Amino acid sequence: MNRDVVWLNKYQQVLAFVETHQRGPSRHHIEEHDMLNWMKFNRKKDNLGKLVGFRKEQFDALRKLISSFNRVNQYK
């Protein structure tokens, strides 16, 4: 498998997890560490500007989906 296929497989795994649990991977659960490390690695590459093409678009959509599940202060 080439790297794009591996990246897409991990992306699909994280996306399914987020849609199921309505949250991002947690550092407090051992079984979620692989997904969390993948997220952190890609976030660092994105911040450095090295994440390009379809990966950047899909990763930004994933980050937006995860942030939509963050709690909002109702007393603003």
Side-chain angles (χ1 to χ4, degrees):
M1 286 195 287
N2 67 15
R3 292 178 188 214
D4 288 337
V5 173
V6 173
W7 193 90
L8 281 172
N9 287 340
K10 186 59 86 170
Y11 173 80
Q12 292 297 330
Q13 179 185 3
V14 174
L15 183 64
F17 175 84
V18 170
E19 289 174 345
T20 303
H21 297 285
Q22 296 184 348
R23 64 178 174 83
S26 172
R27 65 186 173 117
H28 300 289
H29 300 282
I30 302 283
E31 60 275 2
E32 300 172 14
H33 277 202
D34 287 339
M35 292 182 285
L36 179 66
N37 288 338
W38 183 84
M39 289 284 299
K40 289 187 331 187
F41 176 78
N42 282 291
R43 189 178 310 125
K44 287 179 183 180
K45 287 188 74 142
D46 190 22
N47 290 338
L48 292 173
K50 294 183 178 180
L51 196 62
V52 293
F54 76 95
R55 289 183 183 187
K56 179 163 179 52
E57 295 169 5
Q58 289 184 328
F59 190 70
D60 287 343
L62 181 64
R63 288 176 75 178
K64 187 175 180 180
L65 177 65
I66 291 172
S67 67
S68 72
F69 294 122
N70 289 349
R71 296 180 186 199
V72 177
N73 187 355
Q74 58 186 347
Y75 297 108
K76 284 190 174 184

